[in-house]
Coordinates of all heavy atoms in Angstrom, one line a residue:
M1 N -21.5 15.7 -2.9 CA -21.0 16.2 -1.7 C -19.7 17.0 -2.0 O -18.8 16.4 -2.5 CB -20.8 15.2 -0.7 CG -20.2 15.8 0.7 SD -20.3 14.6 2.0 CE -18.8 13.8 1.8
D2 N -19.6 18.3 -1.7 CA -18.5 19.1 -1.9 C -17.5 18.8 -0.8 O -17.8 18.6 0.4 CB -18.8 20.5 -2.0 CG -19.4 20.9 -3.3 OD1 -19.4 20.0 -4.3 OD2 -20.1 21.9 -3.4
L3 N -16.2 18.9 -1.1 CA -15.1 18.8 -0.1 C -15.0 20.3 0.5 O -14.9 21.3 -0.1 CB -13.8 18.5 -0.9 CG -12.5 18.3 0.0 CD1 -12.7 17.2 0.9 CD2 -11.4 18.2 -0.9
T4 N -15.1 20.2 1.9 CA -14.9 21.4 2.7 C -13.5 21.7 3.1 O -12.7 20.7 3.2 CB -15.8 21.5 3.9 OG1 -15.4 20.4 4.7 CG2 -17.2 21.2 3.6
E5 N -13.2 22.9 3.5 CA -11.8 23.2 4.0 C -11.5 22.4 5.3 O -10.4 21.9 5.4 CB -11.7 24.7 4.2 CG -11.5 25.5 2.9 CD -11.0 26.9 3.1 OE1 -10.6 27.2 4.3 OE2 -11.1 27.6 2.1
D6 N -12.5 22.2 6.1 CA -12.4 21.5 7.3 C -12.0 20.0 7.0 O -11.2 19.4 7.7 CB -13.6 21.6 8.2 CG -13.8 22.9 8.9 OD1 -12.7 23.7 9.0 OD2 -14.9 23.2 9.2
R7 N -12.7 19.4 6.1 CA -12.5 18.1 5.7 C -11.1 17.8 5.0 O -10.4 16.9 5.4 CB -13.6 17.6 4.7 CG -13.3 16.1 4.3 CD -13.6 15.1 5.5 NE -13.4 13.8 5.0 CZ -12.7 13.0 5.7 NH1 -12.1 13.3 6.8 NH2 -12.4 11.8 5.2
L8 N -10.7 18.9 4.2 CA -9.3 18.7 3.7 C -8.3 19.0 4.7 O -7.3 18.4 4.6 CB -9.3 19.8 2.5 CG -7.9 19.8 1.7 CD1 -7.7 18.5 1.1 CD2 -7.9 20.9 0.7
R9 N -8.5 19.8 5.6 CA -7.6 20.0 6.8 C -7.4 18.8 7.4 O -6.2 18.4 7.8 CB -8.1 21.2 7.6 CG -7.1 21.4 8.8 CD -7.5 22.7 9.6 NE -7.5 23.9 8.9 CZ -8.5 24.6 8.5 NH1 -9.8 24.1 8.8 NH2 -8.4 25.7 7.9
A10 N -8.5 18.0 7.7 CA -8.4 16.7 8.4 C -7.6 15.7 7.6 O -6.8 15.0 8.1 CB -9.8 16.2 8.8
I11 N -7.9 15.7 6.3 CA -7.1 14.7 5.5 C -5.7 15.1 5.5 O -4.8 14.2 5.5 CB -7.7 14.8 4.0 CG1 -9.2 14.1 4.0 CG2 -6.8 14.0 3.1 CD1 -10.0 14.4 2.7
A12 N -5.4 16.3 5.2 CA -3.9 16.8 5.3 C -3.3 16.5 6.6 O -2.1 16.0 6.6 CB -3.9 18.3 4.9
N13 N -4.0 16.7 7.7 CA -3.4 16.3 9.0 C -3.1 14.8 9.1 O -2.1 14.4 9.6 CB -4.4 16.7 10.1 CG -3.8 16.5 11.5 OD1 -2.7 16.9 11.8 ND2 -4.6 15.8 12.3
D14 N -4.0 14.0 8.7 CA -3.8 12.5 8.7 C -2.6 12.1 7.8 O -2.0 11.2 8.2 CB -5.1 11.8 8.1 CG -6.3 11.9 9.1 OD1 -6.0 12.2 10.3 OD2 -7.4 11.5 8.6
A15 N -2.4 12.9 6.6 CA -1.3 12.5 5.8 C -0.1 13.2 6.2 O 1.0 13.2 5.6 CB -1.7 13.0 4.3
R16 N -0.1 14.1 7.3 CA 1.0 14.8 7.8 C 1.6 15.8 6.8 O 2.6 15.9 6.6 CB 2.0 13.9 8.3 CG 1.7 13.1 9.5 CD 2.6 12.1 10.0 NE 2.1 11.1 10.8 CZ 2.4 11.0 12.1 NH1 3.4 11.6 12.6 NH2 1.9 10.1 12.8
I17 N 0.6 16.5 6.1 CA 0.9 17.5 5.2 C 0.5 18.8 5.7 O -0.7 19.0 6.0 CB 0.3 17.2 3.8 CG1 0.6 15.9 3.2 CG2 0.5 18.4 2.8 CD1 -0.2 15.5 2.0
H18 N 1.4 19.8 5.8 CA 1.1 21.1 6.3 C 0.6 22.0 5.1 O 1.3 22.1 4.1 CB 2.3 21.7 7.0 CG 2.0 23.2 7.4 ND1 1.2 23.5 8.4 CD2 2.4 24.3 6.8 CE1 1.1 24.8 8.5 NE2 1.8 25.4 7.5
L19 N -0.6 22.5 5.3 CA -1.1 23.5 4.3 C -1.4 24.8 5.0 O -2.0 24.8 6.0 CB -2.4 22.9 3.6 CG -2.3 21.6 2.9 CD1 -3.6 21.1 2.5 CD2 -1.4 21.8 1.6
S20 N -0.9 25.9 4.4 CA -1.2 27.2 4.9 C -2.7 27.4 4.6 O -3.2 26.7 3.8 CB -0.4 28.3 4.2 OG -0.7 28.4 2.8
D21 N -3.3 28.5 5.2 CA -4.7 28.7 4.9 C -4.9 29.2 3.4 O -6.0 28.7 2.9 CB -5.1 30.1 5.8 CG -5.2 29.7 7.2 OD1 -5.4 28.5 7.6 OD2 -5.2 30.6 8.0
A22 N -3.9 29.8 2.7 CA -4.1 30.1 1.4 C -4.0 28.8 0.5 O -4.8 28.6 -0.4 CB -3.0 31.1 1.0
E23 N -3.0 28.0 0.8 CA -3.0 26.7 0.1 C -4.3 25.8 0.3 O -4.7 25.3 -0.6 CB -1.7 25.9 0.6 CG -0.4 26.5 0.2 CD 0.8 25.8 0.9 OE1 0.7 25.4 2.0 OE2 1.8 25.7 0.2
L24 N -4.7 25.8 1.6 CA -6.0 25.1 1.8 C -7.2 25.6 1.1 O -7.9 24.8 0.5 CB -6.3 25.2 3.4 CG -7.3 24.3 3.9 CD1 -6.9 22.8 3.8 CD2 -7.6 24.6 5.3
S25 N -7.3 26.8 1.0 CA -8.4 27.4 0.2 C -8.2 27.1 -1.3 O -9.2 26.7 -2.0 CB -8.4 29.0 0.4 OG -9.4 29.6 -0.3
E26 N -7.1 27.3 -1.8 CA -6.8 27.0 -3.2 C -7.0 25.5 -3.5 O -7.6 25.2 -4.6 CB -5.4 27.5 -3.6 CG -5.1 27.4 -5.1 CD -3.7 27.8 -5.4 OE1 -3.1 28.5 -4.7 OE2 -3.3 27.5 -6.6
M27 N -6.4 24.7 -2.7 CA -6.6 23.2 -3.0 C -8.0 22.7 -2.8 O -8.4 21.9 -3.6 CB -5.6 22.4 -2.0 CG -5.5 21.0 -2.4 SD -4.3 20.1 -1.6 CE -2.8 20.8 -2.5
T28 N -8.8 23.4 -1.9 CA -10.1 22.9 -1.8 C -10.9 23.2 -3.1 O -11.7 22.4 -3.6 CB -10.8 23.7 -0.6 OG1 -10.1 23.4 0.6 CG2 -12.3 23.2 -0.4
A29 N -10.7 24.5 -3.6 CA -11.3 24.8 -4.9 C -10.9 23.9 -6.0 O -11.8 23.4 -6.8 CB -11.0 26.3 -5.2
D30 N -9.6 23.6 -6.1 CA -9.1 22.8 -7.2 C -9.6 21.4 -7.1 O -10.1 20.8 -8.1 CB -7.6 22.7 -7.2 CG -6.9 24.0 -7.6 OD1 -7.6 24.9 -8.1 OD2 -5.7 24.1 -7.4
L31 N -9.7 20.8 -5.9 CA -10.1 19.5 -5.7 C -11.7 19.4 -5.9 O -12.1 18.4 -6.5 CB -9.8 18.9 -4.3 CG -8.3 18.6 -4.1 CD1 -8.1 18.2 -2.7 CD2 -7.9 17.5 -5.0
N32 N -12.4 20.4 -5.6 CA -13.9 20.4 -5.9 C -14.1 20.5 -7.5 O -15.0 19.8 -7.9 CB -14.6 21.5 -5.2 CG -14.9 21.1 -3.8 OD1 -15.4 20.1 -3.5 ND2 -14.6 22.0 -2.8
L33 N -13.3 21.2 -8.1 CA -13.4 21.2 -9.6 C -13.1 19.8 -10.1 O -13.8 19.2 -11.1 CB -12.4 22.1 -10.3 CG -12.8 23.6 -10.2 CD1 -11.6 24.4 -10.7 CD2 -14.0 23.9 -11.0
I34 N -12.1 19.1 -9.6 CA -11.8 17.7 -10.1 C -13.0 16.7 -9.8 O -13.3 16.0 -10.6 CB -10.5 17.2 -9.5 CG1 -9.3 18.1 -10.0 CG2 -10.2 15.7 -9.7 CD1 -8.0 17.8 -9.3
L35 N -13.5 16.9 -8.6 CA -14.6 16.0 -8.1 C -15.8 16.2 -9.0 O -16.5 15.3 -9.3 CB -14.9 16.2 -6.7 CG -13.7 15.7 -5.7 CD1 -14.1 16.1 -4.3 CD2 -13.6 14.2 -5.8
D36 N -16.1 17.5 -9.4 CA -17.2 17.8 -10.2 C -17.1 17.2 -11.6 O -18.0 16.7 -12.1 CB -17.4 19.3 -10.4 CG -17.9 19.9 -9.1 OD1 -18.5 19.2 -8.3 OD2 -17.8 21.2 -9.0
R37 N -15.8 17.1 -12.1 CA -15.7 16.5 -13.4 C -15.8 15.0 -13.4 O -16.3 14.4 -14.3 CB -14.3 16.9 -13.9 CG -14.4 18.4 -14.3 CD -13.1 18.8 -15.1 NE -13.3 20.2 -15.5 CZ -12.5 21.2 -15.1 NH1 -11.5 21.0 -14.3 NH2 -12.7 22.4 -15.6
I38 N -15.4 14.4 -12.2 CA -15.5 12.9 -12.0 C -16.9 12.5 -11.9 O -17.3 11.5 -12.4 CB -14.6 12.5 -10.8 CG1 -13.1 12.7 -11.2 CG2 -14.9 11.1 -10.5 CD1 -12.2 12.4 -10.0
K39 N -17.7 13.5 -11.2 CA -19.2 13.1 -11.1 C -19.9 13.0 -12.4 O -20.9 12.2 -12.4 CB -19.8 14.2 -10.3 CG -19.5 14.2 -8.8 CD -20.2 15.4 -8.1 CE -19.7 15.5 -6.7 NZ -20.2 16.7 -6.1
K40 N -19.4 13.6 -13.5 CA -20.0 13.4 -14.8 C -20.0 12.0 -15.2 O -20.8 11.6 -16.1 CB -19.3 14.3 -15.8 CG -19.6 15.8 -15.5 CD -19.0 16.6 -16.5 CE -19.2 18.1 -16.0 NZ -19.5 19.1 -17.1
I41 N -19.1 11.2 -14.8 CA -19.0 9.8 -15.2 C -20.3 9.1 -14.8 O -20.8 8.2 -15.4 CB -17.8 9.0 -14.5 CG1 -16.6 9.7 -15.2 CG2 -17.9 7.5 -14.8 CD1 -15.3 9.1 -14.5
N42 N -20.9 9.5 -13.7 CA -22.2 8.9 -13.2 C -23.4 9.1 -14.1 O -24.4 8.5 -14.1 CB -22.5 9.4 -11.8 CG -21.6 8.8 -10.8 OD1 -21.0 7.7 -10.9 ND2 -21.3 9.6 -9.7
E43 N -23.2 10.2 -15.0 CA -24.3 10.5 -16.0 C -24.4 9.4 -17.1 O -25.4 9.3 -17.8 CB -24.0 11.8 -16.6 CG -24.1 13.0 -15.6 CD -23.9 14.3 -16.1 OE1 -23.7 14.4 -17.4 OE2 -23.6 15.3 -15.3
F44 N -23.3 8.6 -17.3 CA -23.4 7.7 -18.4 C -23.9 6.3 -17.9 O -23.8 5.9 -16.8 CB -21.9 7.4 -18.9 CG -21.2 8.6 -19.5 CD1 -20.3 9.3 -18.7 CD2 -21.5 8.9 -20.8 CE1 -19.7 10.4 -19.3 CE2 -21.0 10.1 -21.4 CZ -20.0 10.8 -20.6
D45 N -24.6 5.7 -18.8 CA -25.2 4.3 -18.6 C -24.1 3.3 -18.9 O -23.8 3.1 -20.0 CB -26.4 4.1 -19.5 CG -27.0 2.7 -19.2 OD1 -26.6 2.1 -18.2 OD2 -27.7 2.2 -20.1
L46 N -23.5 2.8 -17.8 CA -22.4 1.9 -18.0 C -22.8 0.4 -17.7 O -22.0 -0.4 -17.5 CB -21.2 2.3 -17.2 CG -20.7 3.7 -17.4 CD1 -19.5 4.1 -16.4 CD2 -20.1 3.8 -18.9
S47 N -24.1 0.2 -17.7 CA -24.6 -1.2 -17.2 C -24.2 -2.3 -18.2 O -24.0 -3.5 -17.8 CB -26.1 -1.2 -17.0 OG -26.7 -0.8 -18.3
D48 N -23.9 -1.9 -19.5 CA -23.5 -3.0 -20.5 C -22.0 -3.0 -20.6 O -21.5 -4.0 -21.2 CB -24.0 -2.6 -21.9 CG -25.5 -2.4 -21.9 OD1 -26.1 -2.4 -20.9 OD2 -26.0 -2.1 -23.1
V49 N -21.3 -2.2 -19.9 CA -19.7 -2.2 -20.0 C -19.2 -3.2 -18.9 O -19.4 -3.0 -17.8 CB -19.2 -0.8 -19.8 CG1 -17.7 -0.8 -19.9 CG2 -19.9 0.2 -20.8
P50 N -18.6 -4.3 -19.4 CA -18.0 -5.1 -18.5 C -16.8 -4.4 -17.7 O -16.0 -3.7 -18.3 CB -17.5 -6.3 -19.3 CG -17.3 -5.8 -20.7 CD -18.3 -4.6 -20.8
P51 N -16.6 -4.8 -16.5 CA -15.4 -4.3 -15.8 C -14.2 -4.8 -16.3 O -14.1 -6.0 -16.8 CB -15.7 -4.8 -14.3 CG -16.6 -5.9 -14.4 CD -17.4 -5.7 -15.6
T52 N -13.1 -4.0 -16.5 CA -11.9 -4.4 -16.9 C -10.7 -4.0 -15.9 O -10.9 -3.1 -15.3 CB -11.6 -3.8 -18.3 OG1 -11.5 -2.4 -18.2 CG2 -12.6 -4.2 -19.3
Y53 N -9.7 -4.6 -16.0 CA -8.6 -4.4 -15.1 C -7.3 -4.0 -16.1 O -6.4 -3.4 -15.7 CB -8.2 -5.5 -14.2 CG -7.6 -6.7 -14.9 CD1 -6.2 -6.9 -15.0 CD2 -8.4 -7.7 -15.4 CE1 -5.6 -8.0 -15.6 CE2 -7.9 -8.8 -15.9 CZ -6.6 -8.9 -16.1 OH -6.1 -10.1 -16.7
Q54 N -7.4 -4.4 -17.3 CA -6.4 -4.1 -18.3 C -6.9 -3.5 -19.5 O -7.4 -4.2 -20.3 CB -5.6 -5.4 -18.6 CG -4.5 -5.2 -19.7 CD -3.4 -4.2 -19.3 OE1 -3.6 -3.1 -19.6 NE2 -2.3 -4.7 -18.7
P55 N -6.7 -2.2 -19.7 CA -7.3 -1.6 -20.9 C -6.7 -2.0 -22.2 O -7.2 -1.9 -23.2 CB -7.1 -0.1 -20.7 CG -6.0 0.0 -19.7 CD -6.0 -1.3 -18.9
I56 N -5.5 -2.6 -22.2 CA -4.8 -3.0 -23.4 C -4.7 -4.5 -23.4 O -3.7 -5.0 -22.9 CB -3.5 -2.3 -23.5 CG1 -3.6 -0.8 -23.5 CG2 -2.7 -2.7 -24.9 CD1 -2.3 0.0 -23.4
A57 N -5.7 -5.3 -23.8 CA -5.8 -6.6 -23.8 C -4.8 -7.2 -24.8 O -4.5 -6.6 -25.9 CB -7.1 -7.1 -24.0
G58 N -4.3 -8.4 -24.5 CA -3.6 -9.1 -25.5 C -2.0 -8.8 -25.4 O -1.2 -9.5 -26.1
H59 N -1.6 -7.9 -24.6 CA -0.2 -7.6 -24.5 C 0.4 -8.5 -23.5 O -0.2 -8.9 -22.5 CB 0.0 -6.1 -24.1 CG -0.3 -5.2 -25.2 ND1 0.8 -4.6 -26.0 CD2 -1.4 -4.8 -25.8 CE1 0.2 -3.8 -26.9 NE2 -1.1 -3.9 -26.8
T60 N 1.6 -8.8 -23.7 CA 2.3 -9.7 -22.7 C 3.5 -9.0 -22.1 O 3.9 -8.0 -22.7 CB 2.8 -11.0 -23.5 OG1 3.8 -10.7 -24.5 CG2 1.7 -11.9 -24.0
N61 N 4.0 -9.5 -21.2 CA 5.2 -8.9 -20.4 C 6.4 -8.8 -21.3 O 6.6 -9.9 -22.0 CB 5.4 -9.7 -19.2 CG 6.4 -8.9 -18.2 OD1 6.9 -8.0 -18.6 ND2 6.5 -9.4 -17.0
V62 N 7.0 -7.7 -21.5 CA 8.1 -7.5 -22.4 C 9.4 -7.5 -21.6 O 10.4 -7.2 -22.2 CB 7.9 -6.2 -23.2 CG1 6.7 -6.3 -24.2 CG2 7.9 -5.0 -22.4
M63 N 9.4 -7.9 -20.4 CA 10.7 -7.9 -19.7 C 11.5 -9.2 -20.0 O 10.9 -10.2 -20.4 CB 10.4 -8.0 -18.1 CG 9.7 -6.6 -17.8 SD 9.1 -6.6 -16.1 CE 10.7 -6.7 -15.2
R64 N 12.7 -9.1 -19.9 CA 13.6 -10.2 -20.2 C 13.4 -11.3 -19.1 O 12.8 -11.1 -18.0 CB 15.1 -9.8 -20.2 CG 15.6 -9.3 -18.8 CD 17.1 -9.1 -19.0 NE 17.7 -8.5 -17.8 CZ 17.9 -9.1 -16.7 NH1 17.6 -10.4 -16.4 NH2 18.4 -8.4 -15.6
D65 N 13.9 -12.5 -19.4 CA 13.9 -13.6 -18.5 C 14.8 -13.3 -17.3 O 15.8 -12.6 -17.5 CB 14.3 -14.9 -19.1 CG 13.2 -15.4 -20.1 OD1 12.1 -15.1 -19.9 OD2 13.7 -16.2 -21.0
D66 N 14.4 -13.7 -16.1 CA 15.2 -13.5 -14.9 C 16.3 -14.6 -14.9 O 16.0 -15.7 -14.5 CB 14.3 -13.5 -13.7 CG 15.1 -13.1 -12.4 OD1 16.2 -12.6 -12.6 OD2 14.5 -13.2 -11.4
V67 N 17.5 -14.3 -15.4 CA 18.5 -15.3 -15.4 C 19.6 -14.8 -14.4 O 20.1 -13.7 -14.4 CB 19.1 -15.2 -16.8 CG1 20.3 -16.2 -16.9 CG2 18.1 -15.6 -17.9
P68 N 19.9 -15.7 -13.5 CA 21.0 -15.4 -12.5 C 22.3 -15.2 -13.1 O 22.6 -16.0 -14.1 CB 21.0 -16.5 -11.5 CG 20.2 -17.6 -12.1 CD 19.4 -17.1 -13.3
L69 N 23.0 -14.1 -12.8 CA 24.4 -13.9 -13.3 C 25.3 -13.8 -12.2 O 24.9 -13.7 -11.0 CB 24.4 -12.5 -14.1 CG 23.4 -12.4 -15.3 CD1 23.4 -10.9 -15.8 CD2 23.9 -13.3 -16.3
P70 N 26.7 -14.0 -12.4 CA 27.6 -13.9 -11.3 C 27.6 -12.5 -10.7 O 27.3 -11.4 -11.3 CB 29.0 -14.1 -12.0 CG 28.6 -14.5 -13.4 CD 27.3 -14.1 -13.7
S71 N 27.8 -12.6 -9.4 CA 27.8 -11.3 -8.6 C 29.2 -10.6 -8.7 O 30.2 -11.2 -9.2 CB 27.6 -11.6 -7.1 OG 26.4 -12.2 -6.9
L72 N 29.2 -9.3 -8.3 CA 30.4 -8.6 -8.3 C 31.4 -9.2 -7.2 O 30.8 -9.6 -6.1 CB 30.2 -7.1 -8.0 CG 29.6 -6.3 -9.1 CD1 29.4 -4.9 -8.5 CD2 30.5 -6.2 -10.3
P73 N 32.7 -9.2 -7.4 CA 33.5 -9.5 -6.3 C 33.4 -8.5 -5.2 O 33.1 -7.3 -5.5 CB 35.0 -9.6 -6.9 CG 34.7 -9.6 -8.4 CD 33.3 -9.0 -8.7
Q74 N 33.6 -9.0 -4.0 CA 33.5 -8.1 -2.9 C 34.3 -6.8 -3.0 O 33.9 -5.7 -2.7 CB 33.6 -8.8 -1.6 CG 33.3 -8.0 -0.3 CD 33.5 -8.8 0.9 OE1 34.3 -9.7 1.0 NE2 32.9 -8.4 2.0
E75 N 35.5 -6.9 -3.4 CA 36.4 -5.8 -3.5 C 35.9 -4.9 -4.6 O 36.1 -3.6 -4.4 CB 37.9 -6.3 -4.0 CG 38.5 -7.2 -3.0 CD 38.0 -8.7 -3.0 OE1 37.5 -9.1 -4.1 OE2 38.1 -9.3 -2.0
T76 N 35.4 -5.3 -5.7 CA 34.9 -4.4 -6.7 C 33.6 -3.6 -6.2 O 33.5 -2.5 -6.4 CB 34.4 -5.2 -8.0 OG1 35.6 -5.9 -8.4 CG2 34.0 -4.3 -9.1
A77 N 32.7 -4.3 -5.5 CA 31.6 -3.7 -4.9 C 31.9 -2.6 -3.9 O 31.3 -1.5 -3.9 CB 30.6 -4.7 -4.2
L78 N 33.0 -2.8 -3.2 CA 33.3 -1.8 -2.1 C 34.4 -0.8 -2.7 O 34.8 0.2 -1.9 CB 34.0 -2.6 -1.0 CG 33.0 -3.4 -0.1 CD1 33.7 -4.3 0.9 CD2 32.0 -2.6 0.5
A79 N 34.8 -0.9 -3.9 CA 35.9 -0.1 -4.4 C 35.6 1.5 -4.3 O 36.4 2.3 -4.0 CB 36.2 -0.4 -5.9
N80 N 34.3 1.8 -4.5 CA 34.0 3.2 -4.4 C 33.2 3.6 -3.1 O 32.7 4.7 -3.0 CB 33.1 3.7 -5.7 CG 33.9 3.6 -6.9 OD1 35.0 4.0 -6.9 ND2 33.3 3.0 -8.0
A81 N 33.2 2.7 -2.2 CA 32.6 3.1 -0.9 C 33.4 4.2 -0.2 O 34.6 4.2 -0.2 CB 32.5 1.9 0.0
A82 N 32.6 5.1 0.4 CA 33.3 6.1 1.2 C 34.0 5.5 2.3 O 35.2 5.9 2.7 CB 32.2 7.2 1.7
V83 N 33.4 4.6 3.0 CA 34.0 3.9 4.1 C 33.5 2.5 4.1 O 32.3 2.2 3.9 CB 33.6 4.6 5.5 CG1 34.2 3.9 6.7 CG2 33.9 6.1 5.6
S84 N 34.4 1.6 4.3 CA 34.0 0.2 4.5 C 34.8 -0.4 5.6 O 35.8 0.1 6.1 CB 34.4 -0.6 3.1 OG 35.8 -0.6 3.0
E85 N 34.2 -1.5 6.2 CA 34.7 -2.1 7.4 C 34.4 -3.5 7.4 O 33.2 -3.9 7.2 CB 34.2 -1.4 8.7 CG 34.8 -1.8 9.9 CD 34.3 -1.0 11.1 OE1 34.8 0.1 11.3 OE2 33.5 -1.6 11.8
N86 N 35.3 -4.4 7.6 CA 35.1 -5.8 7.7 C 34.3 -6.3 6.4 O 33.5 -7.2 6.5 CB 34.3 -6.2 8.9 CG 35.1 -5.9 10.2 OD1 36.2 -6.0 10.2 ND2 34.3 -5.5 11.2
G87 N 34.7 -5.8 5.2 CA 34.1 -6.3 4.0 C 32.6 -5.8 3.8 O 31.9 -6.4 3.0
Q88 N 32.2 -4.7 4.5 CA 30.8 -4.2 4.4 C 30.9 -2.7 4.3 O 31.9 -2.1 4.6 CB 30.0 -4.6 5.6 CG 29.9 -6.1 5.8 CD 29.2 -6.4 7.1 OE1 28.8 -5.5 7.9 NE2 29.0 -7.7 7.4
F89 N 29.9 -2.2 3.7 CA 29.6 -0.7 3.5 C 29.5 -0.3 5.1 O 28.7 -0.8 5.7 CB 28.5 -0.2 2.8 CG 28.7 -0.5 1.3 CD1 28.1 -1.7 0.7 CD2 29.3 0.3 0.5 CE1 28.3 -2.0 -0.7 CE2 29.5 0.1 -0.9 CZ 28.9 -1.1 -1.4
K90 N 30.1 0.8 5.4 CA 29.9 1.5 6.7 C 29.2 2.8 6.5 O 29.6 3.6 5.8 CB 31.2 1.6 7.5 CG 31.0 2.2 8.9 CD 32.2 2.2 9.7 CE 31.9 2.7 11.1 NZ 33.1 2.8 12.0
V91 N 28.1 2.9 7.1 CA 27.2 4.1 7.0 C 27.0 4.7 8.4 O 26.9 4.0 9.4 CB 25.9 3.9 6.2 CG1 26.2 3.4 4.9 CG2 25.1 2.9 7.0
P92 N 26.7 6.1 8.4 CA 26.5 6.7 9.7 C 25.1 6.2 10.3 O 24.2 5.9 9.4 CB 26.5 8.2 9.5 CG 26.3 8.3 8.0 CD 26.8 7.0 7.3
P93 N 25.0 6.1 11.5 CA 23.7 5.7 12.0 C 22.6 6.8 11.8 O 22.9 8.0 11.7 CB 23.9 5.6 13.6 CG 25.1 6.5 13.8 CD 25.9 6.4 12.6
I94 N 21.4 6.3 11.6 CA 20.3 7.3 11.4 C 19.4 7.4 12.5 O 18.4 8.2 12.5 CB 19.5 6.9 10.0 CG1 18.9 5.5 10.1 CG2 20.4 7.1 8.8 CD1 18.0 5.2 9.0
L95 N 19.5 6.5 13.5 CA 18.6 6.5 14.7 C 19.5 6.9 15.8 O 20.7 6.5 16.0 CB 17.9 5.1 14.9 CG 17.1 4.6 13.8 CD1 16.6 3.3 14.0 CD2 15.9 5.6 13.6
D96 N 18.9 7.6 16.8 CA 19.6 7.8 18.1 C 19.5 6.6 18.9 O 19.0 5.5 18.6 CB 19.0 9.1 18.7 CG 17.6 8.9 19.2 OD1 17.0 7.8 19.1 OD2 17.0 9.9 19.5
E97 N 20.0 6.7 20.1 CA 20.1 5.6 21.1 C 18.7 5.0 21.3 O 18.5 3.8 21.6 CB 20.8 5.9 22.4 CG 22.2 6.3 22.2 CD 22.8 6.7 23.5 OE1 22.1 6.8 24.6 OE2 24.0 7.1 23.5
L98 N 17.6 5.8 21.3 CA 16.3 5.4 21.6 C 15.6 4.8 20.2 O 14.4 4.4 20.3 CB 15.5 6.6 22.2 CG 16.0 7.1 23.4 CD1 15.2 8.2 23.9 CD2 15.9 6.0 24.5
G99 N 16.2 5.0 19.1 CA 15.7 4.5 17.9 C 14.6 5.4 17.3 O 13.8 5.0 16.4
S100 N 14.6 6.7 17.7 CA 13.6 7.6 17.2 C 14.0 8.4 15.9 O 13.2 8.9 15.3 CB 13.2 8.6 18.4 OG 14.2 9.5 18.6
G101 N 15.3 8.5 15.7 CA 15.7 9.2 14.5 C 15.7 10.8 14.7 O 15.8 11.5 13.9
Q102 N 15.3 11.2 16.0 CA 15.2 12.6 16.2 C 16.5 13.2 16.7 O 17.2 12.7 17.6 CB 14.1 12.9 17.3 CG 12.8 12.5 16.7 CD 12.3 13.4 15.6 OE1 12.5 14.5 15.6 NE2 11.6 12.8 14.7

């Protein structure tokens, strides 16, 4: 099933992405090319291939241990703050009185 411009327009609308008619046409063509290439996977017999979730088996997490360390003193943390008040960062409000942010 090919992706139509109407279907892509609906998807873009759901994702709140504005696409011009030219962008919609170009993206529809591009996405259909991608989908055609993905469809080729269905041509392979994969019945003997076990499902995997990790293509690189045997690797372990290489992150360091999570060791608690002393926190910064409050004065040091606030030293470069543009504005601080009562020992806290003071930032401008991002929501209006109704909480809509508009």
Side-chain angles (χ1 to χ4, degrees):
M1 178 169 89
D2 287 340
L3 182 65
T4 64
E5 285 189 15
D6 288 338
R7 180 68 182 132
L8 183 56
R9 184 178 288 112
I11 293 168
N13 185 52
D14 289 345
R16 298 177 191 240
I17 299 172
H18 173 74
L19 296 174
S20 68
D21 289 340
E23 290 171 324
L24 188 67
S25 177
E26 183 179 347
M27 188 167 288
T28 301
D30 289 346
L31 288 173
N32 275 316
L33 281 173
I34 293 168
L35 290 172
D36 286 341
R37 290 189 174 118
I38 291 173
K39 286 178 190 175
K40 292 185 183 216
I41 294 173
N42 291 330
E43 296 174 10
F44 296 103
D45 178 17
L46 301 175
S47 58
D48 303 6
V49 179
T52 60
Y53 69 93
Q54 175 55 276
I56 304 173
H59 286 256
T60 58
N61 194 347
V62 295
M63 296 173 65
R64 67 172 172 77
D65 289 337
D66 189 11
V67 179
L69 298 173
S71 299
L72 287 175
Q74 188 175 24
E75 297 79 24
T76 304
L78 294 172
N80 291 320
V83 180
S84 65
E85 185 177 284
N86 297 326
Q88 300 176 357
F89 292 96
K90 184 172 181 179
V91 296
I94 58 170
L95 300 175
D96 61 13
E97 293 176 3
L98 300 176
S100 67
Q102 297 289 326

